[in-house]
Amino acid sequence: MDLRRDVFQAIADPTRRAILLLVATQSMTAGAIASQFDSKRPTISKHLLILTECELLKREPIGREMYYHLNPNKMKEIANFIAPFQKLWDDRFNKLESVMKDYIRKS
């Protein structure tokens, strides 16, 4: 299995998550994205390749520039996968809150 095409492996990297946040609101060129980081341009290009291969980003040529933008459908797949865990976590935190309130009352 090529880990570069695995969405969860891709979003495990903090730089790639930061790139996703950058392009979430507007399409950007590789140069504009790279200018936001201290890393060298080839490093950012590799991150963009990984995000594109796993379809979190889409590339769109506009004139002579290649713009990257977020693929909302792929992000929705991630959200759908995580949703059941969110309920589980919420239930556990609610139980913990109840236990802590009882503990404070007894103290």
Side-chain angles (χ1 to χ4, degrees):
M1 177 168 117
D2 187 353
L3 291 179
R4 294 180 355 163
R5 289 187 179 86
D6 180 73
V7 171
F8 293 99
Q9 183 69 26
I11 63 174
D13 184 275
T15 300
R16 289 193 284 269
R17 289 193 308 269
I19 290 170
L20 291 172
L21 288 171
L22 275 174
V23 299
T25 56
Q26 68 180 20
S27 296
M28 299 176 76
T29 63
I33 294 168
S35 71
Q36 302 296 312
F37 297 91
D38 292 331
S39 303
K40 296 186 185 279
R41 172 84 184 258
T43 302
I44 298 302
S45 291
K46 188 172 182 177
H47 287 303
L48 291 171
L49 177 64
I50 292 167
L51 290 168
T52 303
E53 285 178 348
C54 68
E55 300 176 350
L56 286 168
L57 291 182
K58 290 185 177 182
R59 292 170 32 148
E60 179 184 7
I62 299 176
R64 293 175 28 185
E65 298 282 348
M66 188 63 69
Y67 283 81
Y68 291 85
H69 56 93
L70 198 63
N71 179 358
N73 294 329
K74 197 64 164 185
M75 297 301 289
K76 180 85 169 128
E77 285 180 32
I78 295 169
N80 289 342
F81 177 81
I82 293 173
F85 297 103
Q86 181 70 38
K87 180 174 177 2
L88 176 72
W89 298 325
D90 287 345
D91 291 346
R92 287 185 179 183
F93 282 123
N94 288 339
K95 287 178 185 174
L96 177 61
E97 182 180 24
S98 176
V99 168
M100 291 304 296
K101 285 180 180 177
D102 287 345
Y103 176 78
I104 291 171
R105 276 188 228 126
K106 292 177 183 177
S107 295

